[in-house]
Amino acid sequence: MPKVQITVAVARVLREFLSEPTTGRYGYDLMQATSFPSGKLYPILARLVAVGWLVREREEVDPVTAGRPARLYYRLTPDGAEAARRELATVSEQVSMPVRRFGALRPEGGFA
């Protein structure tokens, strides 16, 4: 499977998808959930579609009846959900690594 660089922004988008892994999400919904502008969100979605983690599907709706254009929905693929869980777990593990302690500072200076 192609590799995706997991930045903080990509991790936030993936976390949103994993909150409801089988539900399709559209751009405006994701912009509100992540607080990302379209210029930041859509390139992330495009990369995730390109590597097969997301599928993009056009909504089947009559624009006249709905009073709006058809939306593009993005949904995690089964492989994408598995990869997203794995990558987010790795990131979480990396940021929660224990701090190595050398001892307590002594009042007179140095370490105990």
Side-chain angles (χ1 to χ4, degrees):
M1 178 173 288
K3 197 75 169 140
V4 175
Q5 182 179 4
I6 306 298
T7 63
V8 171
V10 171
R12 284 180 63 188
V13 171
L14 290 174
R15 189 179 66 210
E16 276 304 315
F17 277 102
L18 287 173
S19 69
E20 298 180 56
T22 60
T23 301
R25 308 285 298 268
Y26 61 98
Y28 185 71
D29 170 47
L30 289 166
M31 287 189 316
Q32 293 207 306
T34 62
S35 298
F36 292 158
S38 61
K40 185 172 188 170
L41 177 66
Y42 284 102
I44 293 170
L45 295 175
R47 284 197 308 270
L48 295 173
V49 168
V51 297
W53 290 20
L54 295 179
V55 292
R56 186 178 80 173
E57 301 165 326
R58 183 170 299 278
E59 176 184 37
E60 295 293 326
V61 65
D62 176 19
V64 174
T65 304
R68 59 172 173 76
R71 294 176 175 149
L72 290 175
Y73 279 89
Y74 297 84
R75 185 177 36 78
L76 277 171
T77 63
D79 287 343
E82 179 183 327
R85 285 185 188 99
R86 183 179 59 249
E87 292 294 334
L88 290 180
T90 299
V91 168
S92 178
E93 185 177 295
Q94 288 173 346
V95 297
S96 66
M97 295 290 283
V99 176
R100 189 171 187 185
R101 298 204 173 186
F102 295 102
L105 285 175
R106 293 185 297 189
E108 62 275 5
F111 290 98

